[in-house]
Amino acid sequence: MQNQIANPVEAHEHTVEWTAALAQKAVQGDRAAFDKLVDLFWPDIYRMVYFRAKNPMDAEDLAQEVFLRAYASLERLRQPERFRSWLFSIALNLVRDFHRRGRGLRLIKSHDASKEAHQPEPVDQNSESALEGVLRHEFWREIKSFTRELPEKEREVFCLRFLDQLSIKEIAQLLDRAEGSIKSHLFRAVAKLRRRNRLLKLVRGEL
């Protein structure tokens, strides 16, 4: 399967230094540099908000709002090398607001009622076999069931690490917590994951 949680962090498409240079130019008013950052990080941000909003239209709106807020707040970005974690912090706050307003609960109920017709990662059905589609659907169903059972802090860290593919350092920056605390929450979440045999087999591609 494509979803390899056992190896959570893939190499960044570009280096941190390259991203920081673009962010610095954007802070200085270079709109083209910011547009490049949007192109670079849109898939990551969209995937993050989609998993949490459960609805493609809301995910699209939330992702657009993330970049609108980022652009409006560029003058407050003091450390361009932290652009990625800063962007994810904006997204995380927007998702929290989204759920506080009560829309999230209604969407989840609607989502469940429709037998989870949409997946966290949209799939081109022509590019995969029927079996792969079933396994992908089951994978996300199991992931959602598992994360709902985790305490809030463990769930937050687990999702940021394995689904959003942020590093420990980036998560610590985003949540303003010590790296040791992040590792502790992550360790407990992964220990619980290892007790979910069905989910582990899906993660490892053994089904």
Side-chain angles (χ1 to χ4, degrees):
M1 292 185 63
Q2 286 184 322
N3 307 291
Q4 293 297 323
I5 289 187
N7 297 294
V9 180
E10 298 176 354
H12 291 177
E13 183 176 349
H14 298 285
T15 65
V16 173
E17 291 77 11
W18 188 87
T19 301
L22 278 180
Q24 184 61 48
K25 289 181 180 180
V27 170
Q28 295 169 350
D30 188 335
R31 181 58 187 264
F34 184 78
D35 289 343
K36 289 180 181 178
L37 290 168
V38 174
D39 291 340
L40 178 61
F41 290 111
W42 177 272
D44 292 340
I45 294 298
Y46 179 84
R47 183 170 56 248
M48 174 195 178
V49 298
Y50 189 98
F51 180 77
R52 291 159 174 81
K54 307 293 192 297
N55 180 286
M57 292 183 64
D58 287 295
E60 185 83 17
D61 290 343
L62 283 167
Q64 288 180 2
E65 183 64 20
V66 168
F67 289 100
L68 287 172
R69 291 199 182 186
Y71 187 73
S73 306
L74 280 172
E75 71 279 359
R76 297 202 292 271
L77 178 61
R78 305 303 180 194
Q79 296 175 288
E81 67 276 9
R82 293 189 175 186
F83 179 83
R84 187 169 185 255
S85 58
W86 177 73
L87 190 65
F88 269 88
S89 71
I90 294 173
L92 191 60
N93 286 332
L94 275 172
V95 169
R96 286 171 175 168
D97 289 343
F98 172 81
H99 286 290
R100 285 193 196 104
R101 290 196 299 268
R103 295 176 61 204
L105 180 59
R106 291 196 297 274
L107 280 171
I108 290 171
K109 289 180 178 178
S110 173
H111 182 74
D112 289 341
S114 63
K115 298 183 184 297
E116 300 179 336
H118 300 289
Q119 298 301 313
E121 185 178 354
V123 177
D124 179 1
Q125 295 298 331
N126 295 322
S127 67
E128 64 177 7
S129 69
L131 176 59
E132 287 173 333
V134 170
L135 291 176
R136 180 184 291 272
H137 179 84
E138 186 173 356
F139 171 84
W140 285 112
R141 181 172 58 80
E142 290 285 340
I143 280 289
K144 282 182 274 190
S145 173
F146 171 68
T147 55
R148 279 196 293 263
E149 295 173 3
L150 293 175
E152 181 180 357
K153 291 182 180 180
E154 291 178 22
R155 179 172 61 250
E156 194 168 54
V157 171
F158 179 89
C159 290
L160 289 169
R161 175 65 165 166
F162 294 118
L163 302 183
D164 303 322
Q165 299 187 344
L166 270 67
S167 68
I168 296 294
K169 183 177 181 180
E170 287 173 326
I171 297 171
Q173 292 170 354
L174 191 162
L175 300 179
D176 194 24
R177 298 179 196 160
E179 290 187 26
S181 174
I182 300 300
K183 291 177 182 178
S184 178
H185 290 309
L186 188 62
F187 176 83
R188 289 196 289 269
V190 170
K192 293 171 183 175
L193 173 67
R194 288 173 177 158
R195 296 197 290 268
R196 298 284 293 258
N197 291 332
R198 179 72 177 174
L199 180 52
L200 270 183
K201 287 181 179 179
L202 287 166
V203 167
R204 294 168 178 166
E206 296 175 358
L207 295 178

